[in-house]
Amino acid sequence: MKNLLKHFTLLNFDRSFSRGLISQLAWLVGIMLVVFIILAGISYIGEMYSGNGNENNRFLDILLVLIDPGSGSESMSSPLTIVCAILGLIVFSGMLISVISNVLDRRVDSYIKGENDYRICDHVVIIGFNKSIPTLLRTLDKKYPGTYLLIMCNRDIEEIRNWIHANIENSIEDKIILINGVRNACDDISRLRLNHGVKEIYILGEENESAHDAINMECTEIIAKKCEEYGIGGRIMCHIQLDSQAMFSALQKVDVDKSIRNTLIIQPFNFNEIWAQKALAIIPSNYYKCLDDKGIVENSDKHVHLIIIGMNPLSWALAVNAAHILHFPNFDDGDFTSCSTITFIDTEAKKKGKRFRNRYRDLFDLARWREIYDYQSMDFN
């Protein structure tokens, strides 16, 4: 029973003393009071038996010797003065300095690891870290000047901080707050201060994740529940990055859950789709021209032939967007020379082409397509 009580007491002490500054200072003040009371009691008993000493100055003298061991006191006996000096060195000097130094070291270490939380409001939340961060930060700085940009990611925060310092302007860097957290963990989402005037939320996710889109959607559901718990009035704009074009297209067509719609305005985006639309001039741009140049009229003998070298998600997005817009008034159903053509060139065209057709089966059911290997036509539909 005695051993059990001993271990229980030490366990509670370790937990309590390791919590932070307030807990450590409370323990230190408590130890100081106990030492002072014990010494004052010893001094009182000694003077009561000896019958000398100034009782009014006793407590003040003990306190002065504890704080400044070299001061000494004529009203105290030499042995008591030595004991007070030693305990003063240990408790009032050694422990106090150690506690303050330890707290500052832990504070700095927590900042480096992204474990500190700050009382900010009217901020923008960015969850995750990927190659789009520089452009996003600059855009948000222009859109919300003077606003804090809170970034939460599950990576080495010190490495991220150094990368930002090397790639982002100082004026923007000063507004960035980095914290370490997992985006599908409720406790970490609670640290984002969603109930303190968040302007926008960007859920980017981390790079090279096997379940990137699924985790991003799970994160969205957790944020929606938190907003509902906080009773936030109004809906927050929430941008979600989806790497899968199939999920991106599905989310655009299908309504999200009612609990999410009540708290968030969902705005999915896919970088392949965005760049495809820019390259095809669907989104106005000064860098890209329309595929039909100045336009194809009804009696024109021109047609568009889009050649894409390489097959990957970006080239697929280019082809699908092009297939939706390359329809012109000179098209004749029986004349193949007037129809738009999209050609892929890739060393693994057969394998990748099969995957592409399976993903966009409805599109291939409507369009004519063929595969050519070694410059010989294999089939035509």
Side-chain angles (χ1 to χ4, degrees):
M1 184 67 180
K2 185 182 294 185
N3 291 334
L4 180 62
L5 181 62
K6 178 182 176 181
H7 290 303
F8 177 79
T9 304
L10 290 176
L11 176 62
N12 279 267
F13 171 79
D14 291 340
R15 288 176 175 174
S16 176
F17 198 74
S18 302
R19 284 176 183 170
L21 174 62
I22 296 178
S23 179
Q24 291 179 357
L25 289 178
W27 274 101
L28 184 61
V29 170
I31 293 173
M32 289 177 177
L33 288 174
V34 170
V35 171
F36 179 75
I37 292 171
I38 292 174
L39 292 175
I42 294 173
S43 176
Y44 178 79
I45 294 172
E47 291 179 3
M48 186 176 64
Y49 280 100
S50 63
N52 55 17
N54 189 344
E55 186 175 345
N56 295 328
N57 295 331
R58 181 193 310 120
F59 298 115
L60 180 60
D61 289 340
I62 293 173
L63 183 61
L64 290 175
V65 175
L66 284 172
I67 295 175
D68 184 9
S71 62
S73 176
E74 296 180 357
S75 64
M76 298 169 58
S77 61
S78 296
L80 184 60
T81 302
I82 295 174
V83 172
C84 288
I86 295 174
L87 291 176
L89 287 171
I90 296 174
V91 178
F92 282 79
S93 298
M95 290 185 64
L96 180 60
I97 294 173
S98 297
V99 167
I100 295 175
S101 176
N102 180 50
V103 168
L104 293 176
D105 287 341
R106 289 182 60 183
R107 185 72 185 179
V108 172
D109 189 56
S110 296
Y111 172 76
I112 292 174
K113 294 180 179 179
E115 297 174 352
N116 291 343
D117 296 324
Y118 302 95
R119 296 183 178 180
I120 59 175
C121 59
D122 300 327
H123 54 291
V124 176
V125 172
I126 302 173
I127 304 175
F129 197 92
N130 57 30
K131 57 189 176 184
S132 66
I133 280 288
T135 303
L136 178 59
L137 292 178
R138 294 186 181 99
T139 301
L140 291 174
D141 182 62
K142 293 179 181 178
K143 187 176 182 180
Y144 302 110
T147 299
Y148 281 114
L149 307 175
L150 179 60
I151 302 177
M152 184 182 78
C153 59
N154 187 23
R155 296 174 63 177
D156 187 334
I157 296 299
E158 183 64 10
E159 180 182 330
I160 297 298
R161 188 176 287 111
N162 292 336
W163 187 92
I164 289 177
H165 181 73
N167 294 275
I168 302 297
E169 296 81 357
N170 292 336
S171 59
I172 302 177
E173 183 183 0
D174 294 339
K175 304 168 189 173
I176 297 173
I177 298 175
L178 294 171
I179 63 174
N180 185 279
V182 181
R183 67 185 186 277
N184 58 345
C186 293
D187 291 341
D188 289 335
I189 296 297
S190 300
R191 300 172 59 198
L192 300 176
R193 296 179 66 82
L194 298 173
N195 56 334
H196 289 80
V198 171
K199 296 180 182 294
E200 285 187 81
I201 300 173
Y202 288 82
I203 304 177
L204 305 180
E206 309 291 343
E207 291 185 334
N208 303 320
E209 285 183 318
S210 57
H212 175 275
D213 293 354
I215 298 176
N216 277 3
M217 292 304 300
E218 184 180 357
C219 175
T220 305
E221 294 177 0
I222 295 174
I223 290 175
K225 290 179 181 178
K226 287 293 181 182
C227 291
E228 190 175 1
E229 290 176 8
Y230 296 143
I232 299 175
R235 299 162 69 196
I236 303 174
M237 178 65 73
C238 182
H239 306 267
I240 309 172
Q241 178 179 336
L242 299 174
D243 289 345
S244 170
Q245 290 169 255
M247 183 172 287
F248 171 73
S249 301
L251 193 59
Q252 286 184 312
K253 299 175 183 178
V254 179
D255 288 337
V256 295
D257 189 81
K258 184 179 180 181
S259 61
I260 298 178
R261 291 201 312 269
N262 291 339
T263 55
L264 302 175
I265 302 174
I266 301 300
Q267 187 68 44
F269 67 94
N270 178 282
F271 280 111
N272 293 328
E273 289 287 333
I274 293 173
W275 282 108
Q277 292 174 9
K278 282 188 175 182
L280 298 173
I282 299 175
I283 298 177
S285 172
N286 296 326
Y287 301 100
Y288 303 100
K289 294 182 179 180
C290 295
L291 291 178
D292 58 344
D293 194 15
K294 297 180 181 180
I296 297 177
V297 296
E298 185 176 358
N299 297 324
S300 174
D301 58 353
K302 295 181 179 180
H303 74 282
V304 174
H305 187 183
L306 175 63
I307 300 175
I308 303 174
I309 300 177
M311 297 189 72
N312 54 44
L314 177 56
S315 64
W316 294 351
L318 280 168
V320 172
N321 279 276
H324 283 92
I325 64 173
L326 296 182
H327 303 283
F328 305 103
N330 67 333
F331 172 70
D332 185 355
D333 192 25
D335 184 9
F336 295 152
T337 61
S338 65
C339 66
S340 300
T341 304
I342 302 173
T343 300
F344 282 104
I345 300 176
D346 193 282
T347 55
E348 298 180 354
K350 184 175 183 179
K351 180 175 68 176
K352 294 180 180 178
K354 184 177 181 180
R355 191 188 314 162
F356 180 46
R357 292 195 304 273
N358 289 335
R359 181 168 295 183
Y360 297 96
R361 173 56 57 188
D362 293 340
L363 180 62
F364 279 89
D365 288 341
L366 296 174
R368 288 184 291 266
W369 61 275
R370 61 177 175 174
E371 296 175 325
I372 300 177
Y373 307 109
D374 297 330
Y375 307 100
Q376 295 180 357
S377 177
M378 300 294 294
D379 54 62
F380 184 87
N381 290 324

